[in-house]
Amino acid sequence: MPPSKNRQFKLAQRPVGMVKRSDFDFVESSIPEPGEGEILVRIKFISLDPAMRGWMNEGKSYIAPVGIGEVMRAGAAGVVVKSNNPAFSVGDHVTGAMGVQDFAISNGKGLTKVDTSLAPLPVYLSTLGMPGMTAYFGILEVGKLKSGDTVVVSGAAGAVGQVVGQIAKIKGCTVVGIAGGADKCRYVTEDLGFDAAIDYKSEDVKEGLKKHCPKGIDVYFDNVGGEILDAALSRLAMNARIVICGAISQYNSTEPVAGPANYLSLLVNRASMTGMIVFDYVARYGEAASEMAGWMQQGKLKTREDIVDGLETFPETLLKLFKGENTGKLVLKVAED
């Protein structure tokens, strides 16, 4: 039976440290009606991403912060249930920034129609969505990947890291993942085909990099920041490229962000460290999705989604990201198919 209300999580206050349920208002309102040129989407899955923590903060960034009282920003996937827009039909599956709620109104801008006969809907929030795009353009364009490189990726069992490492293997590289816990390390080596994994929870990361990267690191893809970034900086090869994708170790800190202590390694090794934001590549998402879908069909690229039931669990489920409790892409399931 379809819902009769629209449940929404709205930002109630700017979080300090870890996000808490009290940072949001969980409200119910009537299901909105689409106006002229608009569609109504019933959201089925919501993408939970580390970047959401930054979107809650006041201050200059690559995107405006979520306003107090606004529906929490999130990527989502759903189905069109009403349409006053000729570009969309009832039954179309779409993805886009639709927020943490049951229903969203859209004029269609920023929404992408997806084909669920090619891949399940959650995959379009994962490997064929923003995390996959981040991995693809981050490692190939920013990282300037070339065959034979030694590649190290932190957060290797996460949504972006799992794809980065597999693309590097497809391109003929040696790949070392850094992840937390034996199960995650086993996943990236046995399931994803990485050459080695370093368990930062039980191993010395510097020693692990020394062992697995005897000639140094050519490309380091960083999702973590902090001490692990410093460890990677100590093992750079000449002309190494560092891709700064994220710094999940720092997002909930109440102290100033810890900067890299070993940054002079960039000078000594003529290396570069470049930040990347996936939205800069929106015009090219189609080419990336097409190539990655091809790799998936050939069995070269695997995807894993960690799906948690229940819109009402949003604040607690989001915290799984920052506690390292997810393997693969964390997705919140809102509605049955």
Side-chain angles (χ1 to χ4, degrees):
M1 185 173 163
S4 58
K5 296 283 186 183
N6 186 24
R7 297 171 300 163
Q8 301 173 309
F9 274 96
K10 295 184 175 183
L11 190 63
Q13 61 187 8
R14 304 277 173 216
V16 176
M18 282 284 192
V19 175
K20 306 176 294 299
R21 178 169 280 271
S22 58
D23 294 325
F24 301 96
D25 289 322
F26 187 43
V27 301
E28 288 187 353
S29 58
S30 56
I31 298 170
E33 285 294 325
E36 187 179 345
E38 292 182 332
I39 60 173
L40 176 67
V41 179
R42 185 179 182 195
I43 293 171
K44 294 192 169 186
F45 297 95
I46 292 171
S47 175
L48 300 185
D49 300 285
M52 295 171 79
R53 181 61 187 84
W55 298 342
M56 299 178 206
N57 294 339
E58 196 74 78
K60 183 178 182 292
S61 187
Y62 61 90
I63 191 170
V66 177
I68 301 298
E70 290 180 358
V71 174
M72 181 59 207
R73 181 186 297 137
V79 62
V80 177
V81 290
K82 291 184 181 178
S83 178
N84 295 327
N85 185 322
F88 295 88
S89 302
V90 171
D92 283 348
H93 288 93
V94 295
T95 62
M98 293 184 279
V100 183
Q101 55 186 345
D102 286 300
F103 292 90
I105 291 284
S106 173
N107 61 9
K109 286 180 183 172
L111 292 190
T112 302
K113 283 197 251 189
V114 297
D115 187 347
T116 54
S117 69
L118 296 178
L121 197 52
V123 177
Y124 288 99
L125 297 177
S126 176
T127 300
L128 295 179
M130 187 175 74
M133 302 298 126
T134 302
Y136 183 94
F137 292 109
I139 193 66
L140 296 177
E141 296 286 326
V142 182
K144 299 180 173 63
L145 189 72
K146 55 185 188 297
S147 181
D149 279 341
T150 294
V151 176
V152 175
V153 55
S154 61
V160 175
Q162 65 175 351
V163 182
V164 168
Q166 289 182 90
I167 291 175
K169 287 303 297 178
I170 289 167
K171 297 295 185 180
C173 299
T174 298
V175 180
V176 178
I178 302 173
D183 288 345
K184 289 185 179 183
C185 288
R186 201 160 34 243
Y187 167 63
V188 300
T189 53
E190 294 180 9
D191 293 5
L192 302 183
F194 288 32
D195 296 284
I198 299 168
D199 180 359
Y200 72 82
K201 291 186 175 179
S202 66
E203 295 179 60
D204 183 306
V205 174
K206 271 191 180 179
E207 286 301 312
L209 291 173
K210 198 171 177 181
K211 174 184 174 184
H212 297 301
C213 311
K215 295 180 181 176
I217 301 167
D218 296 302
V219 183
Y220 174 56
F221 196 104
D222 189 32
N223 292 302
V224 172
E227 293 177 5
I228 290 176
L229 171 58
D230 262 335
L233 281 166
S234 72
R235 291 298 303 168
L236 298 184
M238 195 64 71
N239 300 309
R241 288 85 68 201
I242 297 175
V243 182
I244 302 295
C245 174
I248 198 168
S249 70
Q250 305 294 306
Y251 290 163
N252 293 291
S253 176
T254 54
E255 302 293 322
V257 170
N262 290 335
Y263 78 96
L264 285 178
S265 179
L266 298 171
L267 184 156
V268 174
N269 295 293
R270 290 72 149 179
S272 65
M273 186 156 68
T274 308
M276 75 88 57
I277 297 293
V278 70
F279 303 131
D280 294 344
Y281 299 90
V282 167
R284 296 176 58 194
Y285 281 7
E287 70 179 75
S290 176
E291 185 163 27
M292 288 196 289
W295 289 334
M296 289 173 72
Q297 287 171 345
Q298 294 163 29
K300 293 179 178 179
L301 180 61
K302 295 179 180 178
T303 185
R304 178 166 170 174
E305 290 71 49
D306 189 337
I307 299 175
V308 178
D309 271 319
L311 178 73
E312 66 282 356
T313 71
F314 163 68
E316 292 77 23
T317 304
L318 181 65
L319 287 182
K320 284 169 68 79
L321 289 171
F322 305 107
K323 294 177 180 177
E325 293 174 356
N326 62 300
T327 300
K329 176 73 186 83
L330 187 60
V331 175
L332 193 61
K333 185 177 181 181
V334 178
E336 296 295 333
D337 288 341

